[in-house]
Amino acid sequence: MPLSERQLAAFADKHAWQIPFDTSPRHLAGPGDARHVTHGLAAAGWSAVSDPLSAEIMLRSPDLRHRLQFDPQSATSAWWRLRAEPTDTEAGWYAEFSELVPAEILAGFTDALVVPPPQQPVPWQQVTSAGWHRDSDGTARSPDSMCHIGLRPLSEFRDRPSWHVETREPGHGEFHGPRIWHAYFDEHTPAHLVSSFLIALADRSPLQRGMYDRTGHYSAVQEPSPLRPQQVAEAHAMRLKSLRAQARFARRQQTKAATTPASVGPAHPAARR
C-alpha cells in the first residue's frame, strides 16, 4: 500500500505537540521516529508485507530483491535488518542496526538504497573531514571517543572486509564501556550505502528530538531548536515528496533501458566479386 494521507497526518500530529530540541552529537541522539525510515521507503514504492496487527514491520522493495524488517520484540540486539537477495550479477548482502541507532542516520542508508548518490564518496574522507580521529589500525572514533567505526580485516572465511560501527559508554583505559548501539554491514554491502550511513553519522548538524524523547546517553546536549514543530513535519513531507519523484524517475529509466533494443550499426553493402 502506498503512503496515505492519514499516515502523514499522524506523523505531523505527533510532532505538532513536541517542542523540538537540537540534540547532539548525532550518535547519542537516541532512536527518534522510526517513520523517517519506513515512510521514506513507502514513498519510494516499497510495500508492507507483514501482519498489520503485529508489532513487526516488514517492507519489500518493488523489484522484490530487498527486504527490511523492523522487530522491536527481537530476541537479539538487532531491531532493524535489511537483506538483499543475490542476482545473476550481484552478490546478496545483509546489514543490521540495533534499537538506539538514530532513525535519521539509518534513513541516510535507506535513502541511498532508493536513490544512489551521483558520486561515490570515500567513507574515511567524509568522517575525518567532520573531525573524527582516524587511527592506524583501520578504525575511526568520534571527537568524544564514544562512537567507533571499524573496517574488519579479511579472514579465511571472507574475501572482503566488513564494516562495524559501535557507540559505547566511556570506558577506562583499554577497557570499553557497555555498548549503546551497533550497526553491521557484511562484506558485500554496497560501498555507497555504507558511505551514506557514515556521512549521516558524522554530520555535525544536530537532530531534532522532543523534550521527553529518549536519547542514547545522558551526555547528549539538547538546546531549544530554532525550528518550529510545523517545520519539522514540513521537512519530513518535502523529503518524502523528493524521494517519491526520484524513485519514479529511476524506475522509468530502468524500464526504458530494459525495453530499448541494442543499437545496430549501419549495414555494409556486400562486397563485389
Side-chain angles (χ1 to χ4, degrees), residues 24-25 28 144 146 169-170 180 215-222:
S24 59
L28 300 180
D144 63 5
M146 291 181 66
E169 295 265 4
I180 297 172
T215 60
H217 193 260
Y218 65 84
S219 63
V221 177
Q222 292 193 295

Side-chain angles (χ1 to χ4, degrees), residues 74-130:
S74 173
T76 71
S77 60
W79 281 32
W80 298 90
R81 297 182 179 90
L82 208 157
R83 291 180 173 86
E85 298 297 328
T87 68
D88 294 338
T89 58
E90 297 180 75
W93 54 268
Y94 170 80
E96 69 175 40
F97 312 86
S98 61
E99 174 190 3
L100 295 182
V101 174
E104 296 91 340
I105 298 176
L106 177 50
F109 180 88
T110 54
D111 286 1
L113 178 61
V114 171
V115 184
Q119 296 181 340
Q120 304 299 317
V122 179
W124 292 125
Q125 180 180 347
Q126 301 295 326
V127 168
T128 54
S129 296

Side-chain angles (χ1 to χ4, degrees), residues 203-218:
D203 191 337
R204 294 177 178 175
S205 59
L207 298 177
Q208 277 69 49
R209 295 290 182 265
M211 180 180 293
Y212 301 108
D213 281 353
R214 181 182 182 185
T215 60
H217 193 260
Y218 65 84

Side-chain angles (χ1 to χ4, degrees), residues 12-223:
D13 185 61
K14 176 192 174 183
H15 290 273
W17 299 100
Q18 287 188 331
I19 299 175
F21 280 76
D22 285 347
T23 307
S24 59
R26 286 185 160 213
H27 54 272
L28 300 180
D33 195 322
R35 288 173 292 188
H36 284 290
V37 178
T38 57
H39 278 193
L41 293 177
W46 288 47
S47 56
V49 294
S50 49
D51 181 351
L53 298 181
S54 170
E56 178 185 16
I57 298 174
M58 185 85 73
L59 298 176
R60 191 179 292 275
S61 61
D63 63 3
L64 305 182
R65 186 188 176 204
H66 301 94
R67 185 174 75 246
L68 176 73
Q69 178 186 18
F70 173 69
D71 184 7
Q73 298 177 333
S74 173
T76 71
S77 60
W79 281 32
W80 298 90
R81 297 182 179 90
L82 208 157
R83 291 180 173 86
E85 298 297 328
T87 68
D88 294 338
T89 58
E90 297 180 75
W93 54 268
Y94 170 80
E96 69 175 40
F97 312 86
S98 61
E99 174 190 3
L100 295 182
V101 174
E104 296 91 340
I105 298 176
L106 177 50
F109 180 88
T110 54
D111 286 1
L113 178 61
V114 171
V115 184
Q119 296 181 340
Q120 304 299 317
V122 179
W124 292 125
Q125 180 180 347
Q126 301 295 326
V127 168
T128 54
S129 296
W132 289 47
H133 308 288
R134 176 83 181 273
D135 298 320
S136 59
D137 59 351
T139 62
R141 50 195 167 88
S142 58
D144 63 5
S145 295
M146 291 181 66
C147 189
H148 297 256
I149 301 169
L151 184 59
R152 300 283 174 86
L154 306 176
S155 71
E156 58 180 315
F157 304 106
R158 293 177 174 152
D159 58 355
R160 297 182 179 184
S162 55
W163 291 90
H164 298 250
V165 183
E166 288 187 339
T167 295
R168 290 183 173 272
E169 295 265 4
H172 301 281
E174 297 180 358
F175 298 97
H176 297 295
R179 189 167 70 180
I180 297 172
W181 64 259
H182 81 277
Y184 164 75
F185 310 91
D186 79 5
E187 63 272 23
H188 295 295
T189 305
H192 75 276
L193 298 181
V194 179
S195 295
S196 296
F197 180 89
L198 298 183
I199 290 171
L201 172 65
D203 191 337
R204 294 177 178 175
S205 59
L207 298 177
Q208 277 69 49
R209 295 290 182 265
M211 180 180 293
Y212 301 108
D213 281 353
R214 181 182 182 185
T215 60
H217 193 260
Y218 65 84
S219 63
V221 177
Q222 292 193 295
E223 299 177 347

